[in-house]
Amino acid sequence: MANHTVFFTLVALTLCPLAFAFEPSPLQDFCVADSTSSARLNGLACKNPMNVQADDFFFSGLNIMGNTSNAVGSKVTPVTVAQVPGLNTLGISIVRIDYAPWGINPPHTHPRATEILTVLEGSLQVGFVTSNPENRLISKVLQKGDVFVFPVGLVHFQRNVGHRNAVAIAALSSQNPGVITIANAVFGSNPPIAADLLAKAFQVETSVVDQLQSKIRNDKALRGVAAE
């Protein structure tokens, strides 16, 4: 009996980290983010609940079409804890994605969230790539009303395969899912990753890497975006 007790204790201790691998459950009705707090913690400090207002849980504008006149032909409008302080500790967020004809949402990952996407207008090719060593592409063309899931952390993308604008709404299982756009992260890092290293990794000439790094840095400068 003692051996069984020790065994189950070890199993419980092993599984405990899994239970807290994602955002913890809230311990109160809400924890509206206090943007004025200097406290450093995993998440955001709570505003005094007596000062909470309806606007802390409100966002307006997902009906407005995003500007897709850019290099990739898409625009993401996020609604995370940065836009809605009331999302703090609730483990959920939402985005609107607009696509110009043949526009793409480039390959990227969300390090802290699974994503579920539904097409509101148009036709989208979507897909994700499984982890090493298989790196299997799982892809499908979606029509209006179709839903697709991107598992947490996996590289995924969308492309408008129609000749008119497309719109999608996606929910994510984090108040702050994060996004790592693969090309921007690899070729637009600050400071830059050594060109010879990237050339060897991608099996291309160093001059190709130099061109990509220069283009992405210039694009970020034009948008006023710091290198990620």
Side-chain angles (χ1 to χ4, degrees):
M1 182 64 183
N3 289 339
H4 288 172
T5 302
V6 171
F7 172 76
F8 286 117
T9 301
L10 290 173
V11 170
L13 290 173
T14 301
L15 294 179
C16 276
L18 298 179
F20 295 99
F22 297 97
E23 295 169 11
S25 299
L27 300 177
Q28 59 280 315
D29 288 346
F30 48 76
C31 173
V32 173
D34 182 359
S35 60
T36 66
S37 174
S38 60
R40 299 181 65 84
L41 63 159
N42 186 24
L44 297 166
C46 302
K47 180 188 288 189
N48 184 330
M50 298 306 296
N51 297 330
V52 167
Q53 304 293 328
D55 281 349
D56 291 319
F57 302 92
F58 174 78
F59 178 88
S60 180
L62 282 191
N63 61 312
I64 299 172
M65 179 180 176
N67 182 2
T68 59
S69 58
N70 52 58
V72 296
S74 69
K75 172 63 176 178
V76 177
T77 303
V79 185
T80 68
V81 70
Q83 290 77 38
V84 180
L87 285 174
N88 193 35
T89 76
L90 298 185
I92 194 169
S93 58
I94 192 171
V95 300
R96 170 181 171 138
I97 315 170
D98 290 276
Y99 312 82
W102 298 99
I104 66 169
N105 190 7
H108 62 281
T109 72
H110 300 294
R112 295 180 289 275
T114 291
E115 175 180 348
I116 183 167
L117 176 145
T118 184
V119 179
L120 299 185
E121 296 292 342
S123 302
L124 294 179
Q125 178 193 10
V126 303
F128 63 85
V129 180
T130 64
S131 56
N132 295 347
E134 290 84 6
N135 298 135
R136 186 162 77 101
L137 172 62
I138 297 177
S139 182
K140 189 173 181 65
V141 174
L142 306 183
Q143 307 298 334
K144 181 177 179 178
D146 290 345
V147 175
F148 199 81
V149 173
F150 305 106
V152 59
L154 296 186
V155 175
H156 59 282
F157 64 87
Q158 302 105 39
R159 176 172 65 163
N160 183 357
V161 291
H163 296 282
R164 58 191 180 92
N165 292 333
V167 184
I169 290 285
L172 300 109
S173 60
S174 172
Q175 68 182 47
N176 183 25
V179 59
I180 302 170
T181 304
I182 307 304
N184 288 356
V186 174
F187 296 102
S189 66
N190 184 22
I193 299 173
D196 61 327
L197 185 156
L198 292 179
K200 189 170 185 178
F202 287 92
Q203 296 293 289
V204 297
E205 297 296 326
T206 304
S207 59
V208 174
V209 174
D210 289 334
Q211 291 173 5
L212 285 169
Q213 288 180 321
S214 177
K215 183 179 188 309
I216 289 176
R217 284 197 299 271
N218 289 339
D219 288 347
K220 285 186 174 183
L222 288 173
R223 300 197 312 270
V225 177
E228 298 170 351

